[in-house]
């Protein structure tokens, strides 16, 4: 590389939801060096090992460079943008006119770091009359969202940085992060004798290695283990009665239900010593502060919604809410989804938690002759052909649509099935942002500026949506001209005109994102037009949460606050603190009608006695449990697709316990055949002492062009939570067969 690198430019990592601030050096169109950005308010210079691989995203060989149209023989032909927009708008408008806009389904809206597309996609959905949508959240978090909404009227996060005790249930933050500066915090807890860590995981993970107590339970038995822990709190009266008396209702019903739980028997079902179950409950009760997180190990497993409930009982009964080191209700700039359940899906009647269709029912909503079936689909910044359960049936459903439009940077597995593929500029070529803003008490927002000029061909999503809305004939040109003239005179002139003409007019406000992009976008600094929608989102936050914004220095009328906040967002390419909370805000933010914590969720309490029946019987044909999709150093969903990127674990090895390996004659590096009820795959084995006998683990995100097994060739749409419909990817009955090389 003879060209000198560019100066360091601020940006962020897009490989997990932390979106750590980074600085990057560029040579030509290559991202050559990364380092953590100390000016980023949340990550403060932290980064893990993964961002060094981001050039494999930027310069992947299957990047899209032009719109594509499917030919009848299934191959693709390049077309120009005018043709693509006119044909996509035409097809979707015809489907809307013939069958109703509600038959046009929207999936995605962004991945780990790109949430502006979803904000602009709202305008296209409104323009089409589309009413149903979903995203990856509806295959992991919806059960938790619902429970949290029912109990607290809000979603919580844990303050691990200050917690005396950290509890992780089915979560391996050493690799998966999800909490800011995870490894720094985990090491600090491990090294401090006054602090403790408990990990509930069948695998001895990197996080479990740092824990004071590892409850290495039998896979899929969390409901029994956590029920026993709650029962210990009740039996030994380890409950914080003062907290409950002041803040909670429903304790008596919980007490009655869990008094009956046979603790020793349930500990045995989970295969955890009863003494450890009791010790865990006592540690939680005795700690001055407990921060806790659950994740896919339980959310993609048997009883997932029920386990989310049990998990909350552990820290609510012990009063771990609303104090430093416990749980808080964050104030994101934009709420990605709520836990409300207002309606059901049109074909199978599945509950739409946070308005999201459960991912596992999507094929049933398409593959039917029901008149309300989804006939068209827009997929944006997501790869459901790969990421959702039972890939074969999911792909069949996608192929059965009358029109599938995919907006992506790369020729993903989903794009390969599309009628039209619309290429987006990469997250380093446009202004982009994450809405995963959950820090506390100071919360930050990071608008990333582009670090590379946009190439010929791809367009940023806001431009794609603006063109679609225009082609649908729904953008009022005179209104755009009027707003644009106001914007030319500055934000203070623009704000009242926008408020008057758009914000309070339901028809126009549905298209607000695109109106802002067309009217305000051109008057913003070079490259920042995609941030225009943030002005509207800032206004909403200014109206709803003035106190927290004022403490961050944004004061005045809602329009003034929106203007100053928006300007601050534009002016801080490493991120800006937009809200400052106090711990007292947490209890005030409880969204239940009586502002109390609701401990007794009847439909879930009713499941407590059902556990007496014991775990589901083992199918002798599939005696092992496969965790299909484990976070490792070399996984990042399907964001990285370049075959060159995985320097280690290139085959995405199947982890097997030494006991099972011995019994089956398997060795590290050797092949094996992995069989489930829906599929089979040849895998490479890694014999790992971290695994429990009977438990297997495959990495997530593999099986794209970068090698390995696609985990969802092995999963089933039917294996899902009875309530939220979330998949049981961590509990796939499987068997393993010896396979001789060659
Ligand atoms: N490196 C990397 N990091 C990522 C991602 C990535 O692709 N790669 N993806 C990001 C995304 S989208 C998400 S949602 C998060 C997910 O983050 P995590 O949920 O932490 O990730 P996983 O490794 O899928 O699952 C967590 C743990 O569940 C355990 N587990 C399996 N079965 C059971 C069980 O029966 N009970 C219990 N208690 N535990 C069980 C597994 O052993 C594993 O250690 O990670 C994010 N971070
Ligand atoms: N079996 C099994 N399945 C799983 C999991 C598991 O553990 N096991 N994990 C699940 C989880 S937790 C998640 S979150 C999902 C993730 O699955 P998805 O939500 O489907 O998302 P990704 O795999 O992250 O794919 C993101 C897509 O966005 C594209 N992209 C990247 N940048 C841009 C951009 O700027 N614009 C546009 N338009 N597109 C862009 C990428 O090329 C890629 O195609 O997978 C789930 N699937
Ligand atoms: S923690 Fe996540 S966002 Fe931060 S550097 Fe690692 S992969 Fe990237
Ligand atoms: Mo996820």
């Amino acid at each position: 590389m003879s060209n000198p690198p560019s100066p360091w430019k601020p940006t962020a990592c897009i490989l997990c939801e932390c979106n750590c601030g980074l600085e990057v050096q560029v040579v030509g169109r290559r991202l050559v060096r990364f380092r953590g950005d100390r000016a980023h308010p949340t990550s403060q210079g932290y980064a893990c090992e993964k961002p060094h691989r981001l050039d494999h995203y930027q310069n992947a060989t299957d990047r899209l460079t032009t719109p594509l149209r499917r030919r009848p023989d299934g191959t693709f032909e390049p077309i120009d943008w005018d043709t693509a927009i006119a044909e996509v708008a035409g097809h979707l408008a015809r489907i809307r006119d013939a069958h109703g806009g509600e038959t046009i389904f929207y999936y995605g809206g962004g991945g780990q770091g790109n949430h502006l597309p979803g904000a602009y996609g709202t305008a296209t959905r409104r323009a089409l009359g589309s009413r149903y949508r979903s995203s990856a959240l509806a295959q992991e978090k919806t059960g938790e969202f619902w429970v949290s909404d029912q109990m607290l009227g809000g979603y919580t996060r844990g303050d691990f940085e200050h917690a005396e005790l950290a509890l992780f249930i089915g979560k391996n933050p050493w690799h998966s992060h999800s909490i800011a500066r995870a490894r720094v915090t985990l090491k600090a807890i491990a090294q401090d004798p006054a602090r403790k860590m408990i990990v509930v995981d069948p695998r001895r993970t990197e996080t479990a290695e740092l824990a004071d107590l590892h409850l290495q339970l039998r896979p899929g038995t969390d409901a029994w283990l956590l029920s026993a822990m709650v029962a210990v709190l009740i039996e030994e009266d380890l409950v914080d009665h003062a907290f409950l008396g002041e803040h909670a209702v429903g304790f008596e019903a919980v007490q009655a239900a869990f008094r009956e739980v046979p603790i020793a028997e349930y500990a045995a079902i989970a295969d955890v010593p009863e003494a450890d179950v009791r010790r865990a409950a006592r540690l939680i009760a005795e700690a001055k502060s407990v921060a806790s997180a659950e994740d896919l190990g339980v959310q993609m497993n048997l009883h997932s919604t029920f386990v989310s409930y049990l998990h909350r009982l552990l820290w609510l009964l012990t009063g771990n809410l609303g104090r430093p080191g416990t749980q808080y209700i964050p104030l994101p700039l934009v709420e990605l989804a709520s836990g409300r359940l207002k309606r059901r899906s049109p074909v199978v009647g599945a509950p739409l938690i946070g308005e999201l269709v459960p991912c596992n029912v999507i094929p049933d909503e398409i593959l039917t002759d029901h008149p309300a079936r989804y006939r068209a689909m827009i997929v944006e910044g997501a790869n459901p052909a790969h990421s959702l359960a039972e890939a074969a049936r999911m792909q069949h459903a996608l192929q059965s649509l009358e029109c599938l439009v995919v907006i992506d940077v790369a020729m993903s597995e989903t794009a390969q099935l599309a009628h039209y593929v619309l290429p987006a500029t990469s997250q380093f070529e446009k202004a982009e942002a994450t809405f995963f803003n959950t820090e506390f008490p100071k919360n930050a927002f990071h608008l990333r500026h582009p670090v590379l000029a946009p190439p010929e061909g791809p367009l940023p999503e806001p431009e794609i949506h603006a063109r679609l809305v225009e082609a649908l004939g729904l953008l009022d040109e005179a209104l755009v001209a009027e707003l644009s003239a106001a914007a030319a005179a500055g934000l203070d002139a623009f704000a009242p005109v926008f408020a008057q003409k758009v914000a309070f007019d339901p028809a126009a406000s549905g298209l607000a994102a695109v109106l802002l992009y067309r009217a305000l976008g051109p008057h913003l600094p070079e490259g920042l037009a995609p941030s225009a929608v943030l002005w509207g989102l800032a206004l909403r936050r200014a109206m709803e949460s003035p106190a927290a914004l004022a403490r961050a220095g944004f004061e005045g009328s809602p329009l003034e606050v929106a203007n100053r906040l928006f300007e601050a967002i534009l002016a801080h390419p490493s991120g800006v603190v937009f809200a400052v909370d106090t711990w007292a805000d947490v209890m005030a933010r409880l969204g239940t009608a009586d502002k109390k914590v609701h401990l007794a969720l009847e439909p879930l309490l009713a499941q407590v006695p059902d556990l007496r029946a014991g775990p589901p019987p083992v199918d002798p044909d599939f005696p092992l449990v496969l965790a299909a999709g484990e976070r490792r150093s070399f996984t990042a969903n399907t964001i990285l697709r370049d075959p060159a990127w995985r320097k280690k674990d290139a085959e995405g090895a199947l982890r097997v316990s030494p006991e099972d390996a011995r019994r089956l004659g398997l060795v590290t590096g050797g092949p094996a055949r992995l069989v489930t009820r829906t599929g089979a795959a040849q895998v490479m084995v890694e014999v790992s002492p971290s695994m429990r006998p009977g438990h297997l683990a495959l990495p997530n995100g593999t099986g794209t062009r970068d090698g390995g097994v696609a985990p969802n060739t092995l999963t089933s749409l039917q294996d899902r939570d009875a309530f939220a419909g979330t998949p049981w990817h961590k509990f796939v009955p499987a068997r393993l067969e010896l396979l001789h090389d060659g």
Side-chain angles (χ1 to χ4, degrees), residues 17 112 136 139-141 295-296 300 631 637:
E17 68 262 46
Q112 295 297 296
Q139 49 88 64
E140 48 177 327
K141 297 281 173 280
D295 212 340
L296 304 184
M300 290 184 168
R631 272 68 192 161
N637 291 348

Side-chain angles (χ1 to χ4, degrees), residues 14-15 17 57 62 64 107-114 117 135-137 139-141 295-296 299-300 379-390 406-415 422-428 430 432 436 448 459-461 464 627-631 636-641 698-701 704 710-715 727-730 732:
I14 59 166
L15 296 177
E17 68 262 46
Y57 161 81
D62 59 0
L64 296 164
Y107 189 87
Q112 295 297 296
N114 53 320
S135 75
L137 289 171
Q139 49 88 64
E140 48 177 327
K141 297 281 173 280
D295 212 340
L296 304 184
Q299 293 181 342
M300 290 184 168
V379 176
E380 176 166 47
N383 189 8
H386 179 281
S387 61
L388 298 188
E390 204 172 322
V406 172
I407 304 171
D408 204 301
V409 297
M411 195 64 184
S412 69
E413 288 65 24
T414 311
L422 305 180
T425 41
S426 84
Q427 296 180 50
F428 299 103
K430 66 190 170 209
E432 197 37 286
F436 291 137
R448 286 124 55 190
L459 292 175
E461 289 87 347
I464 297 173
E630 174 181 87
R631 272 68 192 161
N637 291 348
T638 65
I639 302 163
L640 299 178
R641 316 174 51 80
L698 271 181
N700 72 307
T704 61
N712 288 312
T713 56
L714 300 166
T715 58
W728 294 343
H729 289 331
K730 305 293 176 186
V732 182

Side-chain angles (χ1 to χ4, degrees), residues 279-602:
R279 183 166 165 237
R282 288 173 197 149
L283 284 173
I284 292 170
E286 285 158 15
K288 280 200 279 299
S289 57
V290 177
S292 185
E294 61 174 68
D295 212 340
L296 304 184
V298 290
Q299 293 181 342
M300 290 184 168
N301 213 322
L302 309 182
H303 298 109
S304 51
T305 303
F306 181 46
V307 168
S308 293
Y309 174 57
L310 297 171
H311 168 208
R312 270 156 193 74
L313 285 179
L314 285 177
W315 50 259
L316 285 169
L317 291 176
T318 50
N320 284 292
L321 174 69
R323 289 182 288 110
T326 69
Q327 330 311 311
Y328 57 85
I329 301 179
L331 183 80
L333 185 69
V334 180
E335 214 181 322
L336 272 176
S338 80
R340 299 282 146 79
L341 198 178
K342 292 189 208 140
R343 54 193 186 117
R344 292 182 170 265
S345 70
V347 175
V348 305
L352 307 188
I353 299 167
E355 292 286 292
L356 301 173
V357 175
C359 293
N360 277 44
V361 312
I362 293 171
D364 291 344
E365 297 268 322
I366 298 171
L367 296 169
T368 163
D369 53 13
H370 193 291
R373 68 182 178 275
Y374 310 146
R375 293 166 188 265
M377 198 162 156
I378 301 172
V379 176
E380 176 166 47
N383 189 8
H386 179 281
S387 61
L388 298 188
E390 204 172 322
R393 186 164 157 85
M394 187 62 65
Q395 291 169 10
H396 176 50
L398 293 168
Q399 281 169 309
S400 306
L401 293 160
E402 290 167 36
C403 186
L404 173 62
V405 181
V406 172
I407 304 171
D408 204 301
V409 297
M411 195 64 184
S412 69
E413 288 65 24
T414 311
Q416 284 161 32
L417 306 176
H419 297 95
Y420 291 91
V421 183
L422 305 180
T425 41
S426 84
Q427 296 180 50
F428 299 103
E429 296 162 348
K430 66 190 170 209
E432 197 37 286
T434 173
F435 294 156
F436 291 137
N437 317 122
T438 57
E439 292 306 299
F440 191 93
K442 285 186 182 169
N443 202 356
F445 186 83
H446 185 194
L447 172 71
R448 286 124 55 190
H449 294 205
V451 297
L452 289 168
E456 283 291 311
L459 292 175
E461 289 87 347
E463 182 65 35
I464 297 173
H465 288 293
R467 291 188 188 188
L468 284 172
V469 173
E470 282 159 356
L472 289 162
L474 288 172
L475 209 66
D476 179 343
E477 294 302 331
L479 180 58
V480 172
E482 190 182 348
L483 293 170
S484 185
L491 279 178
D492 289 324
F494 173 76
V497 180
F498 189 87
Q500 189 204 342
K501 300 274 168 173
V502 183
F504 301 108
D505 172 348
S509 70
L511 304 177
V514 158
L515 284 167
L516 283 166
Y517 177 73
R518 279 290 185 246
L520 182 59
H523 303 287
L524 298 176
E526 164 103 39
L528 298 188
S531 66
V533 69
L534 295 172
W535 183 84
L537 300 170
L539 176 59
R540 190 187 304 164
R541 187 42 84 216
M543 294 194 301
E544 288 170 3
S545 318
L549 272 54
R551 282 191 292 258
F554 304 104
E555 285 180 280
S557 71
L559 288 177
E560 283 164 349
V561 170
N563 285 346
R564 299 297 85 80
L565 175 55
F566 183 64
E567 284 165 351
I569 288 172
L570 298 187
H572 290 84
S574 293
V576 63
V577 172
F578 71 90
V580 177
D581 276 310
T582 68
W583 280 95
D585 291 331
V586 173
M587 301 316 282
R589 217 168 265 163
L590 288 175
T592 46
D594 54 2
K595 293 267 168 208
K596 298 274 188 201
V597 173
H598 291 202
L599 294 172
L601 295 198
E602 288 308 335

